[in-house]
Amino acid sequence: MTVAVTRPPLPPFDAATAAQKVRMAEDAWNSRDPARVALAYTEDSRWRNRAEFLQGREAIQAFLVRKWARELDYRLIKELWAFRENRIAVRFAYEWHDDSGQWLRSYGNENWEFDEAGLMRVRIASINDLPIAAADRRYRWASGRRPDDIRR
């Protein structure tokens, strides 16, 4: 017997449930746990991340393992931009450094589409990187969930 998996809140989204879905995604990504993050996507989810195209939860998890091996001390803030029915658009910024110690702030936007169970079936991300000095960092909270009083 197969148990149906749902990831509330479920579409169609309203302002409150769309914002909740965005914060849940941010919290998962800030955990830097590829297995946890991958569970939010359908088994056959399709992604475009920068110039990389992925399909399937296993490919997404492998991508995230590679990402966080390279993007060290990652801290992310996502912000709801727009929503309609089963789609959400977000803008985001995150900071990280590479293995040479160079800090970067990455900016971008994502378009998400969800299935009826609340799993993301499409993620399209456009991202630009800006090298910054360590002194110019904005996101300095302890690893993990962003404190509620820190905003973009």
Side-chain angles (χ1 to χ4, degrees):
M1 181 169 125
T2 303
V3 176
V5 175
T6 61
R7 296 288 285 213
L10 306 177
F13 300 111
D14 60 25
T17 59
Q20 180 184 4
K21 198 75 159 177
V22 171
R23 183 57 191 248
M24 290 170 63
E26 176 189 309
D27 290 349
W29 281 67
N30 276 327
S31 76
R32 292 179 289 190
D33 179 344
R36 174 184 172 193
V37 173
L39 290 175
Y41 302 93
T42 62
E43 288 287 343
D44 62 347
S45 185
R46 292 179 294 118
W47 274 30
R48 180 180 62 79
N49 193 86
R50 300 177 190 257
E52 190 168 351
F53 294 82
L54 306 167
Q55 182 155 5
R57 193 180 284 161
E58 288 182 24
I60 291 166
Q61 186 170 337
F63 167 84
L64 294 169
V65 168
R66 290 190 314 273
K67 172 185 179 65
W68 289 318
R70 186 177 77 83
E71 296 180 0
L72 307 173
D73 291 322
Y74 177 96
R75 305 285 189 282
L76 165 73
I77 296 178
K78 289 185 183 282
E79 180 181 19
L80 176 63
W81 189 251
F83 67 92
R84 182 173 179 200
E85 298 171 0
N86 70 330
R87 294 182 175 159
I88 296 176
V90 299
R91 64 181 188 166
F92 63 87
Y94 64 91
E95 293 179 349
W96 57 282
H97 67 84
D98 62 20
D99 59 3
S100 73
Q102 173 62 59
W103 280 93
L104 295 101
R105 186 172 304 118
S106 300
Y107 297 98
N109 57 65
E110 295 174 331
N111 296 311
W112 301 342
E113 181 179 284
F114 295 87
D115 70 5
E116 60 283 343
L119 296 170
M120 195 181 302
R121 65 178 163 212
V122 177
R123 175 183 174 266
I124 301 169
S126 299
I127 307 167
N128 298 298
D129 300 319
L130 174 67
I132 60 173
D136 293 331
R137 290 177 53 213
R138 296 181 187 156
Y139 307 154
R140 297 177 179 268
W141 65 86
S143 181
R145 188 177 197 274
R146 171 181 55 88
D148 291 336
D149 62 339
I150 295 177
R151 299 279 181 225
R152 189 173 168 160

